[in-house]
Amino acid sequence: MNSSKPFHFAGHDTVALAQEYGTPLYVMSEDLIRQQCRSIREALLEKHPGSRAAYASKAYLSMAMCRIIESEGLCLDVVSGGELYTAREAGFPMERIILHGNNKSEEELTMAVEFGVGRVVVDHLEEINLLEALAAEKDRPMDIQIRIVPEVEGKTHRHIMTGQKDSKFGIPLVPEVIEKAVQSAMDSPHIKLKGFHFHLGSNLFQQEIYVEAIQRVMKLCHHLKQTLGYEAEEINAGGGYGIRYTEADQPQPPSWYTDAIMETVQKMAKELSLKQPNVIIEPGRWIAGEAGITLYTIGTIKEIPEVRTYVSVDGGLPDNIRPALYNARYDAVVANKADQPKTQTVTIAGKCCETGDILIYDLKTPPLERGDILAVLSTGAYGESMANNYNRLPRPATIMLKGEEVRVVNRRETYEDLLRREREADIS
Ligand SMILES: Cc1ncc(COP(=O)(O)O)c(C=O)c1O
């Protein structure tokens, strides 16, 4: 293997990391995560006192990540009992948690009440009644936001669009329906309605859709003040900021989105004579995405003359389902040949028994051979968090880089791990 000039990520030789920790390997950079958190703080929190930013933990979650987010002063958006439990076990302050979900179970809502989470984002009218009953049982006050559907369509893959009318998330933008939800919250003695939430979708590169959604929510706030005398204290504008996967992507700094959001909130509040609500944002991908890469070892190389060359790696769909799930595009570097001219075009295939298990089509590379190390870039978001055991492939280890230090934050699964639940079921 020629390792004349290895590819470096966050100051580390990735070929050496692959040799030491094995492949497939998720590599996260704490320094890059912190850098992203800082730019979110500068874009919103420092400019606009009262505003808050929650990291959307579905993008990548571990106890190590919770501790980084906590120390950066951000809140945490969780969407299930499992994410909430992880945050609590990591010692994350519960008052900085925002709990989402379009179908929260009674068990999850009970956890939210018992743990004392900062906000529950209510997704359905029924949930207000259920939460009130649970909060009353424990005599605990609960702060909520109501998720609404702003009926704004972002340009992104259909599977990650959420702001459109036809969506399983949130309460439709029909005044009578929202009035009913707001009235129900106002009538619930243990519930305090803090305001409204929307999330337009993921990997969005448009500013105007955030402006449009804010305008609609502010008009709704005005309507509710007129009809019910209710005035919102906060608006949660969700996440969705796009990142660089390939050269075709032109990511923007978070201030590009937040400045537009804040200007619209300020302008509309003035125009409609409303108290200016505090703004909350929930970026996930933007914080974790470019802070992670995945290292693979190249195995079989199969050339089909006049068709394509398949280069197979030792992972694929189970560690990164995004290409199969929604045609996500990635770029990659041959880590041990980073300085060699890219003279050929190949297709990077995973090792699963699925024709659709292709990580990258038409990647330009130097000549390849078995044992080369491939670094797929920008896999920090929705990679490990969406991992599965299809074909009973053990899940990779995750390492976290910080300066010169390397920590294993999630060890590689073993074949025994794959059998653990079966064996335990046998015992019981
Ligand atoms: C409610 C909510 N907030 C925030 C996010 C984070 O989105 P992104 O990772 O694109 O920033 C999501 C993603 O699905 C979401 O559903």
Side-chain angles (χ1 to χ4, degrees):
M1 194 163 68
N2 178 347
S3 54
S4 55
K5 185 170 182 272
F7 170 62
H8 279 65
F9 175 69
H12 288 254
D13 172 346
T14 57
V15 178
L17 292 175
Q19 278 162 357
E20 184 162 355
Y21 298 98
T23 58
L25 181 69
Y26 296 118
V27 183
M28 299 293 297
S29 161
E30 180 167 337
D31 297 329
L32 292 176
I33 293 166
R34 287 188 186 277
Q35 189 178 303
Q36 300 301 80
C37 293
R38 265 198 301 280
S39 63
I40 298 269
R41 281 207 310 270
E42 284 162 14
L44 185 69
L45 312 189
E46 286 164 17
K47 277 201 218 167
H48 303 282
S51 59
R52 264 167 298 149
Y55 165 65
S57 69
K58 70 208 76 175
Y60 163 70
L61 182 63
S62 58
M63 291 195 286
M65 186 64 168
C66 288
R67 292 183 189 118
I68 296 171
I69 296 299
E70 196 279 320
S71 73
E72 288 294 326
L74 268 54
C75 300
L76 198 72
D77 144 5
V78 301
V79 75
S80 69
E83 288 183 353
L84 178 55
Y85 183 76
T86 304
R88 199 175 78 139
E89 289 298 297
F92 198 89
M94 289 293 115
E95 67 278 8
R96 276 158 58 187
I97 294 274
I98 303 178
L99 174 66
H100 285 277
N102 68 303
N103 184 27
K104 301 173 199 75
S105 65
E106 190 168 329
E107 186 202 2
E108 288 169 326
L109 289 172
T110 304
M111 279 169 86
V113 173
E114 282 177 355
F115 293 1
V117 305
R119 297 282 183 282
V120 174
V121 180
V122 167
D123 203 89
H124 186 263
L125 188 58
E126 231 176 33
E127 207 180 301
I128 298 174
N129 303 332
L130 181 54
L131 187 62
E132 168 58 28
L134 296 169
E137 216 176 281
K138 311 264 177 223
D139 198 20
R140 292 261 173 93
M142 297 298 292
D143 287 342
I144 69 162
Q145 294 166 355
I146 292 179
R147 179 166 180 163
I148 57 131
V149 186
E151 298 186 11
V152 172
E153 287 195 19
K155 284 193 210 116
T156 191
H157 191 280
R158 200 168 59 83
H159 292 176
I160 48 175
M161 267 166 59
T162 49
Q164 73 284 5
K165 186 172 187 163
D166 183 357
S167 168
K168 72 169 185 171
F169 300 102
I171 297 184
L173 197 61
V174 176
E176 308 81 72
V177 180
I178 295 180
E179 276 170 35
K180 217 167 152 189
V182 171
Q183 188 64 59
S184 162
M186 289 168 76
D187 293 342
S188 302
H190 295 84
I191 283 180
K192 178 154 174 52
L193 175 60
K194 302 291 279 185
F196 299 95
H197 169 277
F198 66 81
H199 173 68
L200 300 178
S202 206
N203 210 29
L204 297 165
F205 293 87
Q206 302 149 273
Q207 201 182 40
E208 68 282 5
I209 54 173
Y210 288 90
V211 170
E212 212 177 312
I214 292 282
Q215 285 169 342
R216 291 187 182 189
V217 177
M218 290 299 282
K219 283 184 191 154
L220 170 72
C221 291
H222 180 251
H223 173 80
L224 293 168
K225 190 178 170 188
Q226 304 288 310
T227 51
L228 303 179
Y230 170 74
E231 199 153 6
E233 286 172 40
E234 58 194 33
I235 292 179
N236 184 336
Y241 311 159
I243 66 161
R244 187 187 306 280
Y245 283 104
T246 71
E247 273 180 7
D249 300 323
Q250 306 282 323
Q252 299 288 345
S255 56
W256 189 70
Y257 301 89
T258 52
D259 285 352
I261 290 170
M262 288 310 302
E263 274 164 30
T264 315
V265 167
Q266 283 159 351
K267 184 166 162 276
M268 296 288 291
K270 219 180 222 168
E271 272 174 29
L272 300 169
S273 305
L274 293 170
K275 213 166 50 192
Q276 190 184 308
N278 288 323
V279 167
I280 299 161
I281 58 166
E282 298 174 332
R285 187 187 308 271
W286 203 85
I287 290 176
E290 292 183 52
I293 62 171
T294 310
L295 300 178
Y296 300 96
T297 302
I298 288 173
T300 308
I301 300 175
K302 214 174 274 178
E303 188 183 339
I304 308 176
E306 289 163 45
V307 179
R308 66 177 66 248
T309 298
Y310 285 101
V311 173
S312 293
V313 294
D314 53 354
L317 185 152
D319 62 75
N320 187 354
I321 201 173
R322 296 184 67 253
L325 197 60
Y326 32 70
N327 293 324
R329 302 272 149 83
Y330 285 91
D331 198 0
V333 178
V334 181
N336 56 307
K337 295 178 175 172
D339 57 346
Q340 294 185 20
K342 296 174 178 176
T343 53
Q344 59 175 18
T345 302
V346 302
T347 290
I348 305 296
K351 66 181 271 124
C352 279
C353 289
E354 285 285 320
T355 301
D357 181 17
I358 301 293
L359 285 176
I360 307 176
Y361 282 101
D362 301 330
L363 178 71
K364 299 243 181 310
T365 70
L368 297 173
E369 59 207 307
R370 177 179 285 276
D372 284 341
I373 301 297
L374 189 76
V376 177
L377 311 179
S378 300
T379 58
Y382 306 103
E384 195 213 82
S385 62
M386 286 187 164
N388 59 80
N389 288 120
Y390 181 53
N391 285 171
R392 291 232 162 179
L393 296 192
R395 275 175 285 200
T398 303
I399 58 171
M400 184 72 77
L401 312 176
K402 182 185 183 191
E404 291 185 358
E405 184 192 314
V406 183
R407 272 183 306 150
V408 178
V409 292
N410 212 346
R411 69 155 171 80
R412 186 174 300 286
E413 265 180 341
T414 63
Y415 291 137
E416 262 313 305
D417 286 332
L418 300 175
L419 293 180
R420 205 177 66 228
R421 289 184 306 139
E422 285 183 55
R423 294 206 198 277
E424 286 171 3
D426 274 351
I427 293 163
S428 58

